[in-house]
Amino acid sequence: MVGLKPTDIPPSATIKFLSAGTAACIADLCTFPLDTAKVRLQIQGESKASKTVKDVKYKGVFGTITTMVKMEGPRSLYNGLVAGLQRQMSFASIRIGLYDSVKQFYTPKGSENASILTRLLAGCTTGAMAVTCAQPTDVVKVRFQAHIESSAGRKYNGTVDAYRTIAREEGVRGLWKGTLPNITRNAIVNCGEMVTYDLIKEALLKYHLMTDNFPCHFVAAFGAGFCATVVASPVDVVKTRYMNSRLGQYKNALSCTLTMVVEEGPTAFYKGFIPSFLRLGSWNVVMFVSFEQLKRLMVLAQAAWESPS
């Protein structure tokens, strides 16, 4: 048995909420350079890209990371990390931590198992809820990762300054820039991740191929990461381009999509696919494994706290 054993006490919604946010932060700390490389590859080729990066040619995941380290220093790989962690604590806590509760809410009374449609509906719901709450953190994270400057031609002086500057220069709506494509993207990602993980884990346990421990969580998480990357990459690229764009560059997300098709062709929607999969696959493995262990740890801690001494 690897890690903590399954507990007889089911975790509460609060434990799932806190465990999801914490596990997502752990996963972000481990995989953030891959996410930054993905963003740089996705915005490469824009007609009006940031002055800082428009002449740089990134080649592949590790080539991008190497180029960034040489030109901007190792710390550049973690640009936007603070906003990224803020995003995960508000974002993953909702979309992952509340998934089971929403799934149970949608499941008809008397049904033992939720249908695939119910799982998809739960994934879309928590994904949309999470984006609505956490969108400003995502905008700031992407701006830092893309190394874009404010309209005044200066870099943001920290995360708080970025929130203030964007709100001042682009209005409060600027902090929710790209919400629609982000809701679409994260509804798809959440379904790809949560539903796939749910189904793979359930099948492995049902047919006694694995027990409810680390190897089972690893296999289910890897499958979830691959599925999510395949279905979400096109929307993810549009979301990144639109959120990173300068004021007035694109009229809306649809305009951004059409511009990409006309100027770069359909393959532009899968720019950065390899880093997307490396990042999302590894992120899912770290997150789900940590999530399962943290849930059990918190349940044990709660039981110990409540038991009479």
Side-chain angles (χ1 to χ4, degrees):
M1 174 68 70
V2 179
L4 297 173
K5 296 180 180 180
T7 59
D8 296 327
I9 306 172
S12 64
T14 302
I15 286 178
K16 291 177 182 178
F17 186 88
L18 294 174
S19 299
T22 306
C25 286
I26 294 171
D28 249 27
L29 287 169
C30 295
T31 63
F32 206 79
L34 292 171
D35 190 39
T36 302
K38 177 203 73 172
V39 169
R40 292 294 180 92
L41 286 167
Q42 286 178 337
I43 65 171
Q44 183 166 259
E46 286 185 290
S47 58
K48 296 181 181 180
S50 170
K51 294 179 181 179
T52 309
V53 299
K54 69 177 182 179
D55 294 324
V56 179
K57 298 297 183 184
Y58 298 116
K59 296 181 179 179
V61 186
F62 300 108
T64 301
I65 291 175
T66 302
T67 301
M68 288 180 64
V69 170
K70 288 180 178 178
M71 297 186 66
E72 304 169 41
R75 292 182 61 182
S76 65
L77 298 174
Y78 284 89
N79 283 343
L81 178 62
V82 174
L85 296 179
Q86 291 172 350
R87 174 180 180 269
Q88 293 301 350
M89 282 307 299
S90 55
F91 183 74
S93 298
I94 296 173
R95 77 177 184 90
I96 298 171
L98 298 183
Y99 170 78
D100 284 336
S101 299
V102 175
K103 183 177 69 174
Q104 291 172 6
F105 175 78
Y106 285 139
T107 303
K109 293 182 179 180
S111 300
E112 293 184 1
N113 296 316
S115 65
I116 293 180
L117 181 61
T118 298
R119 297 173 203 251
L120 290 172
L121 186 58
C124 288
T125 301
T126 57
M129 289 168 56
V131 171
T132 303
C133 296
Q135 181 69 5
T137 61
D138 207 5
V139 172
V140 171
K141 179 183 79 77
V142 169
R143 296 286 181 94
F144 273 106
Q145 288 178 312
H147 204 63
I148 195 169
E149 299 175 346
S150 69
S151 60
R154 63 178 179 83
K155 298 177 183 177
Y156 300 117
N157 296 318
T159 307
V160 175
D161 179 61
Y163 288 121
R164 290 174 179 171
T165 303
I166 293 171
R168 183 175 62 251
E169 295 180 352
E170 303 174 38
V172 176
R173 292 179 61 183
L175 291 170
W176 269 267
K177 190 173 186 178
T179 299
L180 184 58
N182 209 13
I183 286 177
T184 305
R185 182 253 183 193
N186 281 290
I188 295 171
V189 168
N190 211 36
C191 288
E193 287 179 350
M194 297 305 301
V195 176
T196 304
Y197 181 82
D198 217 8
L199 292 172
I200 293 176
K201 179 184 174 183
E202 191 176 278
L204 292 173
L205 297 177
K206 180 180 179 181
Y207 295 105
H208 306 289
L209 299 174
M210 290 182 174
T211 55
D212 191 5
N213 56 21
F214 175 82
C216 174
H217 305 155
F218 181 92
V219 171
F222 186 85
F226 180 77
C227 180
T229 307
V230 170
V231 299
S233 277
V235 185
D236 189 31
V237 174
V238 173
K239 180 215 74 167
T240 300
R241 291 284 186 95
Y242 186 60
M243 286 169 59
N244 182 57
S245 64
R246 294 183 180 276
L247 190 63
Q249 183 173 348
Y250 302 116
K251 291 182 180 179
N252 48 43
L254 179 59
S255 170
C256 178
T257 303
L258 294 175
T259 301
M260 287 174 59
V261 172
V262 172
E263 295 186 357
E264 302 171 58
T267 56
F269 292 108
Y270 279 91
K271 275 192 172 183
F273 179 83
I274 298 300
S276 288
F277 172 61
L278 288 176
R279 192 264 173 176
L280 201 53
S282 57
W283 190 92
N284 270 269
V285 169
V286 176
M287 193 285 297
F288 277 114
V289 169
S290 301
F291 180 47
E292 297 282 4
Q293 293 299 305
L294 284 169
K295 282 192 297 183
R296 295 173 183 180
L297 181 62
M298 289 187 181
V299 167
L300 292 174
Q302 183 183 33
W305 177 266
E306 295 175 350
S307 64
S309 55

